[in-house]
Amino acid sequence: ARDPRGKEGLASLAAEVLVAAGSRALRIDEIREALHPLAATFEAQVDREMATLTGTFPADGWERFAEVALPQLVRPGFREEDFRRLRDEHLNALVQDLREANDEELGKERLQANVFAGTPYGHPALGTAEGLRAITLDDVKAFVAAHYTRANLVVGLAGAAPPFFQRTLKRAG
């Protein structure tokens, strides 16, 4: 719903850049290598109203996760090569996977487009091919700066989250 006209897919791409494009200090391959021994993940899921960023890690790995993954959110790397890779992945997911290999999901998206035509909900959360092609790295940076703020943030913790991790999260933002 927050995608600007002509840049459909910006919200989804911005969330993906935060979790799959590294931080200023570490490239994404370095982050994956550091999190691999923990079997930890940091993922994004975007729907029409909300982006959810989910970190999963073992209880005894919270310090390493916070050290390695949280900078992706608070100090993103915004590297051009990562942006291009992720934009291409989104285009492939939209054009190849959705249009050519998932008739049921394509039908649902078409129904949503018909029902919500002319509104911010009239396109898949993933965007449109034209919208994704029009998005630049500067668009992503501006979207993140405008929308990924403390005022828009809700943090949820599950499992045995130690109080130290809760304080670390509060300080990070």
Side-chain angles (χ1 to χ4, degrees):
R2 302 248 190 270
D3 289 341
R5 282 206 187 276
K7 307 268 179 160
E8 293 83 2
L10 180 56
S12 181
L13 186 55
E16 195 68 23
V17 165
L18 290 176
V19 300
S23 64
R24 284 185 211 150
L26 298 172
R27 294 183 324 271
I28 192 61
D29 58 324
E30 294 170 316
I31 290 171
R32 288 181 179 145
E33 185 176 318
L35 295 180
H36 181 73
L38 298 176
T41 61
F42 194 27
E43 299 173 336
Q45 180 180 355
V46 178
D47 66 19
R48 285 176 170 81
E49 281 291 329
M50 168 175 61
T52 304
L53 307 181
T54 304
T56 306
F57 50 90
D60 63 351
W62 72 268
E63 288 178 276
R64 185 68 174 146
F65 181 83
E67 174 187 314
V68 173
L70 281 183
Q72 291 177 263
L73 180 58
V74 296
R75 289 181 302 284
F78 292 128
R79 291 175 186 83
E80 184 68 36
E81 63 272 12
D82 289 324
F83 163 74
R84 277 189 252 115
R85 173 181 51 83
L86 293 169
R87 186 179 59 188
D88 288 348
E89 286 178 11
H90 278 228
L91 275 165
N92 286 335
L94 184 67
V95 175
Q96 301 297 321
D97 298 342
L98 183 61
R99 288 186 187 167
E100 295 179 9
N102 195 338
D103 290 340
E104 182 180 346
E105 204 55 41
L106 179 61
K108 290 178 193 175
E109 290 296 347
R110 186 67 215 160
L111 177 62
Q112 291 278 341
N114 290 346
V115 170
F116 294 110
T119 73
Y121 302 105
H123 65 276
L126 195 54
T128 64
E130 298 79 21
L132 286 167
R133 287 185 189 106
I135 296 169
T136 66
L137 181 55
D138 286 337
D139 294 328
V140 170
K141 289 177 184 178
F143 189 90
V144 168
H147 297 285
Y148 284 84
T149 65
R150 281 187 169 244
N152 291 337
L153 179 68
V154 175
V155 175
L157 296 172
F164 297 111
F165 184 63
Q166 295 174 33
R167 287 193 293 275
T168 300
L169 279 176
K170 287 180 183 177
R171 281 193 312 268

